[in-house]
């Protein structure tokens, strides 16, 4: 049990070191030694868990996605028919809590691989939900759910990146979601 706790603590420290160093220097400039020094973790400990800094970044991103998925599940269940904004609001709230990690992922640090992981995971989950809603409501989608999910997720990621990159978000999460609801209901021409 103590080893599991120590392992979790080491992984958290390495992840936090990665995030702070990427914000300071960019991913390309980092070395494993930089990360282990900042985390106050031995290099051997790093290599016991990760192949390289890319592997660490992928794990940190996967953990972010797992946490986001857990948080979104109830909001998605509450949005079974149409766009309520609840999942987007929950994503913005999560991004507010994990702002620095979202910033480096959404910027495309690490040769864009974490951003691709994030985009692909969100698009897969969204397409599955669109298919499930169509089936539950007995309708046939007019647009392929995979394409629709990519468009939807692309817009959400663009809004999310814009929002987390602001020093102080000019709009609260709830206001962003209200505007997105208006856009979804009335369209771009109306906006």
């Amino acid at each position: 049990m103590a080893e599991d706790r120590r392992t979790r603590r080491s992984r958290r420290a390495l992840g936090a070191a990665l995030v702070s160093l990427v914000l300071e220097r960019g991913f390309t400039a980092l070395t494993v030694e930089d990360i282990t020094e900042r985390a106050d973790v031995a290099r051997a400990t790093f290599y016991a868990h990760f192949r390289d800094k890319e592997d660490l970044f992928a794990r940190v991103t996967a953990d972010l996605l797992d946490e986001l998925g857990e948080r979104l599940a109830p909001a998605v269940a509450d949005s079974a028919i149409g766009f309520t904004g609840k999942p987007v609001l929950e994503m913005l709230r999560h991004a507010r809590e994990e702002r620095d990690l979202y910033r480096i992922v959404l910027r495309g640090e690490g040769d864009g691989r974490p951003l691709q992981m994030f985009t692909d995971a969100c698009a897969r989950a969204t397409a599955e939900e669109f298919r499930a809603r169509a089936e539950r409501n007995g309708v046939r989608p007019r647009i392929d759910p995979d394409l629709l999910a990519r468009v939807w997720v692309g817009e959400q990621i663009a809004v999310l990146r814009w929002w987390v990159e602001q020093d102080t978000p000019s709009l609260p999460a709830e206001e962003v979601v209200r505007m997105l609801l208006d856009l979804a209901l009335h369209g771009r021409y109306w906006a």
Side-chain angles (χ1 to χ4, degrees), residues 66-76 90 93-95 97:
D66 289 345
E67 190 177 300
L68 178 61
E70 287 174 21
R71 290 185 60 160
L72 286 178
V76 169
E90 192 57 40
R93 288 175 175 161
H94 188 244
E97 293 168 17

Side-chain angles (χ1 to χ4, degrees), residues 117-179:
M117 283 176 63
F118 188 87
T119 303
D120 290 348
C122 290
R124 266 191 312 275
T126 301
E128 288 172 18
E129 182 59 26
F130 287 168
R131 283 187 185 90
R133 286 181 185 184
E135 188 174 312
R136 275 194 309 272
N137 294 309
V139 297
R140 187 171 162 259
R142 291 186 181 113
I143 297 175
D144 180 271
D146 291 317
L147 174 62
L148 184 58
R150 286 287 169 172
V151 170
W152 177 256
V153 167
E155 289 178 353
Q156 301 312 309
I157 287 175
V159 169
L160 187 58
R161 180 172 181 199
W162 163 78
W163 195 72
V164 298
E165 287 292 348
Q166 298 176 47
D167 288 334
T168 304
S170 58
L171 297 171
E174 295 77 10
E175 183 67 12
V176 171
V177 171
R178 187 198 58 74
M179 289 180 180

Side-chain angles (χ1 to χ4, degrees), residues 3-84:
E3 186 174 59
D4 289 335
R5 202 177 348 220
R6 191 176 4 199
T7 297
R8 284 193 304 273
R9 190 172 38 245
S10 293
R11 287 183 179 179
R12 271 195 309 273
L14 290 165
L18 173 83
V19 171
S20 65
L21 286 166
V22 169
L23 286 172
E24 289 172 23
R25 304 180 196 168
F27 184 78
T28 305
L30 295 184
T31 65
V32 168
E33 187 174 336
D34 295 329
I35 297 166
T36 57
E37 188 176 300
R38 174 71 59 96
D40 196 23
V41 171
R43 285 174 57 103
T45 301
F46 179 94
Y47 287 114
H49 301 291
F50 307 103
R51 288 184 315 278
D52 49 28
K53 65 182 185 176
E54 289 82 3
D55 190 31
L56 170 60
F57 201 176
R59 180 74 257 158
V60 168
T61 303
D63 291 346
L64 177 77
L65 286 164
D66 289 345
E67 190 177 300
L68 178 61
E70 287 174 21
R71 290 185 60 160
L72 286 178
V76 169
D78 277 353
S79 302
I81 295 177
F83 179 53
T84 63

Side-chain angles (χ1 to χ4, degrees), residues 89-105:
L89 181 59
E90 192 57 40
M91 184 184 296
L92 288 169
R93 288 175 175 161
H94 188 244
R96 183 174 47 220
E97 293 168 17
E98 298 290 340
R99 182 173 178 251
D100 289 343
L101 179 52
Y102 271 87
R103 287 171 64 203
I104 67 171
V105 168

